[in-house]
Amino acid sequence: MSKLYFTQDHEWIRVDGEIATVGITEYAQDQLGDMVFVGAPDIGSAMSAGDVAVVVESVKAASDVYSPIDGEIVEVNEQLSSAPDLLNRSPETDGWLWKMKIANTAQLEGLMDAVGYKSHIA
């Protein structure tokens, strides 16, 4: 059973065992507008919480996407390089950005659940 968390910077993180899938929230993509480019981190690179992992560019602006926790990049969503609008159509499912092996599960305790995130964006 996966568990879903959110950051104050509008990333979501879905945890399945020791692997976390990361993306941006519906709210974030709505604020950014139509995506025209989505970068990808290098597989095998180590990330610390707060590191810039990806840059996404929309018709409005370029925006950094931060790693919510420490870990190692194990997979990137290759579909986004040719179809960046997938991030607009399905930001919290098919439009995921990267997967990482979690280095420190205790960091998850500092993130918000869905109720907390809804309060944060209200």
Side-chain angles (χ1 to χ4, degrees):
M1 175 98 183
S2 65
K3 185 143 188 194
L4 190 61
Y5 301 90
F6 297 88
T7 72
Q8 291 188 7
D9 294 316
H10 312 291
E11 290 93 15
W12 58 263
I13 178 171
R14 185 177 302 109
V15 176
D16 291 292
E18 64 181 22
I19 301 297
T21 304
V22 182
I24 65 170
T25 64
E26 179 77 38
Y27 175 84
Q29 75 77 27
D30 188 54
Q31 297 299 303
L32 289 167
D34 294 337
M35 294 295 165
V36 294
F37 173 80
V38 179
D42 294 328
I43 292 174
S45 58
M47 291 281 153
S48 295
D51 285 355
V52 174
V54 169
V55 174
V56 296
E57 292 180 24
S58 71
V59 293
K60 292 182 182 177
S63 185
D64 294 334
V65 181
Y66 305 98
S67 181
I69 58 172
D70 298 350
E72 179 186 338
I73 305 295
V74 295
E75 188 178 346
V76 297
N77 189 344
E78 301 285 350
Q79 290 182 300
L80 294 173
S81 63
S82 60
D85 62 316
L86 184 59
L87 203 51
N88 295 113
R89 292 189 317 244
S90 187
E92 295 185 13
T93 52
D94 297 335
W96 59 274
L97 296 169
W98 73 87
K99 294 184 181 188
M100 62 195 309
K101 184 172 182 187
I102 301 169
N104 181 359
T105 56
Q107 289 178 313
L108 297 169
E109 295 169 18
L111 302 175
M112 294 178 272
D113 62 10
V115 173
Y117 183 71
K118 282 184 178 157
S119 293
H120 174 66
I121 62 174

